[in-house]
Amino acid sequence: MIEFSTFSFQYKSQTKPTLHEINLRIRDGEKILIAGASGSGKSTLGSCINGLIPHSLGGHIEGSLRINGVETKESDIYEISREVGTVLQDTDSQFVGLTVGEDIAFSLENQCIDKEKMHETVMKSASLVSMQDFLDNSPEDLSGGQKQRVALSGVLVDDVSILLFDEPLAALDPATGELAIELIDDLHKQTGKTVIIIEHRIEDVLHRDIDRIVLVDEGRIVMDDTPARVLQSGILVDKGIREPLYVAAMKNAGCDVSGEENLDSIERMDISPYRDNLLKWFSAKRRKLEQKDTPAALSFRNVSFSYDGRRNALNNISFDVHRGEMISILGKNGAGKSTLASILTGIYSPDSGQIFIDGKDASMESIAERSRKIGYVMQNPNHMISNSMIYDEVAFGLRLRGVDEDTVREKVMDVLRLCSLAQYHKWPVSALSYGQKKRVTIASILVMEPEILILDEPTAGQDYRRYSAMMSFLSRVNRETGITILFVTHDLHLALEYTPRSIVLADGQLLCDAPISTIFSDEDLLRSANLKVTSLFTLARKLGLEGSDVASFIETFIVEEKHRRGEAEAVVDEKVTQKDKPVVRKKEEGEAKRKQLKFDVEYFPADSWVHRLNGVTKFGLLITWLLVSLMTFDVRVLSVTLAAGLLTLATCHVPIRKYRPILIFVFLSVLLNALFIYLFSPQQGPEYMGSRTILFNLPDTHYTPTAETLWYLLIVVMKYFSISPIAITFIYCTQPSEFASSLNRLGISYKISYAVSLAFRYIPVIMKDYTNIRDSQACRGVEISRKAKLSQRISGTTKTLAPLILSSIDKIDIITNAMILRGFGKNRKRTWYRADSLKTADWILIAFMAALIALTVYLRFGTGVKFFYPF
């Protein structure tokens, strides 16, 4: 049981408590929802339950919090983590293993469980969430729902009694979020564990039954009751949380739901007492949203694009967006939504097809040139922010364009007021929440007055109150200025309430381009796009409505909501006409016309003799090559190391396209080094060899080429280049966790070993972040294309450093908390999921390495001859 008694908490960095006199009891086996707006204190409450407060996040505590009778402030985070398993909001950053199996095993490794039992427990835990067939897969290759399952399995291995989910729906598309709620519910019923869900999307959580809703506001519990009573009270909207859509529709129709016992479930609720009111409201209000008939602001014509040249991320996409429209691009995670936005802004160029902006072909414009018309707000605000202070961040684009400072101040303060950020204009960006940073990035784009605004997942990290204020602001800007706005999102509420028309993508295909009400009344289409049926659709069907009447019912709700917000436009017609039906395109198989090669410095899984070697052997091989290459000047030894290294690289089954750029770069660098040696010290060769054989005379005898000089330069090239094949082989053929276990076996602390493996694991992530940040800066007008001067390109590239550091720090915090919550660092030793013993091939190679080192030492020091020179 969890029991808060007059519990208060204040962070060290704050002047006021975040939680005030919390009194709360959560009984064993209960399933509760802790809800509240952003900044309400709900996540802080969760951090108290899992022990991050006070053992990782410091501050002052008053009162008592006991978990199963133990006072948390007198315990430690490791003991609490044996009782409370936490699935964090950002599952991607929570993963610390390179494979699913490793990640699930992480807590067991920290408990020093032996390998055989560990593998058995991992299989059992993975089976609970139906992930037993994915143990060798990388978490990055999984869908959003599968990632949630892996994260959940990683805490189930400890057989914890309490499962805590921190905003589990934040990064999931609607259908996957629905499956996540079903998974949590199934586990609760199967295991009887206490389940705590922290989330502000109440309607989505109520897809399955919960026992209680604990509503938090300004650090206090303002209501703790059954879901039905919380919905009956009408308190949610006042506290910044969206009511379920069907509840809002029933209230619009004048239905009194204050005594409805099943108000928390549209499926169970008997709507017969409310039928007359709902049908009367629908009949009186029935209408259709006006469709704008304006010139096209942008057009896609048969656009296709592939990242790898094999599978199309977009396939033959065509549509128009009219000037002044607010339109949503809908689809599940990975549908191609963000790719479409990146092509529009010029970050990527299509493999085929054309893009027109205001009727002009945009193919010849750079990203920075397009930024004068198109503003792009990326999903992750940390990929955009490049200044430490809020005011400077919003002013960045204007200053880049040379706007005078008085005008800058006027425009910046205006847009900060519109985004409810004016009071923070002197604050550092680091002091803001994720949702506030999101609004800063929107402000930094709006201040430049673009003609077209693209927002990628604008509601991420935003509660209903702030989200509504921001969307109302954007709607007003759209009406008053005529700006065209595209929302790239999987938030169905955003699309439903604010975008009359939507484009639906699935697996790179355009499934539908139609009015939003028509889309949301088509079950088959929603299923194909991995979207879900809304409760408005369910309510309409329970009223007996069919076909176009369902779409009209949804449209009527949309119009009423716009009237309530004061945003309604003229409405016409009473029926959904034939022209409003979606234009559905069949999926077609297609391949990109050009192959794009990708260069990734990361482990490449394969089944080669090198991959099968023990990590200790591979690490020893790398050290041997470094020692031999640095110690010897003997061409015979260098020939052996170079030939053996190239042969090893050629037989490790890593595609040459992966490492070709590295080999070329290293070879050119080594040649450049040899050239500098010749330019600055051309007589080193003859001095070392003790002879001078002139090949041909030059006027300046200082640079006269000699056989000894060329031989010495050959040695230099071979000496440094011979390391490269083995180093490349080590990088691509050594799994980071395997490498960490090898370092630990060699006597290096497991904490240092794991830190090294995490560095290897996150190199690709950091490279991806760098690319996103660089592109975001270009979208704000920083010219880094070949059209700019070299000095401008260098300056533009350096502007990525601040956001890259900010993004990396955020990741470090999340990873650190995830590792601590799963027991990392508690014990002096740990075991390894991927630990393996030395085999015959390993011992043969170790013997070869020892012989090679001995031969090198003998030739270098035993013969008394430093250089081997046969001529």
Side-chain angles (χ1 to χ4, degrees), residues 54 164 709 716:
L164 174 65
T709 298
V716 169

Side-chain angles (χ1 to χ4, degrees), residues 169-185:
L169 305 178
L172 302 181
D173 57 61
T176 303
E178 197 171 74
L179 291 174
I181 293 299
E182 292 171 0
L183 172 65
I184 294 170
D185 186 60

Side-chain angles (χ1 to χ4, degrees), residues 809-821:
I809 289 173
D810 278 358
K811 277 187 172 61
I812 290 169
D813 286 342
I814 295 170
I815 294 167
T816 301
N817 287 337
M819 293 173 69
I820 290 173
L821 287 171

Side-chain angles (χ1 to χ4, degrees), residues 603-673:
Y603 171 69
F604 182 85
D607 184 23
S608 72
W609 70 275
V610 183
H611 285 80
R612 290 191 291 271
L613 290 174
N614 190 280
V616 172
T617 307
K618 284 182 275 193
F619 184 58
L621 202 61
L622 177 62
I623 297 300
T624 297
W625 251 245
L626 286 169
L627 287 174
V628 169
S629 298
L630 295 176
M631 189 164 37
T632 188
F633 289 86
D634 195 310
V635 171
R636 294 169 296 182
V637 175
L638 292 174
S639 297
V640 171
T641 57
L642 180 57
L646 289 172
L647 181 63
T648 302
L649 183 57
T651 57
C652 70
H653 296 174
V654 177
I656 192 171
R657 61 185 172 84
K658 288 280 186 180
Y659 58 79
R660 184 193 294 127
I662 300 179
L663 276 179
I664 293 173
F665 174 77
V666 172
F667 186 66
L668 292 177
S669 299
V670 170
L671 286 180
L672 188 62
N673 179 56

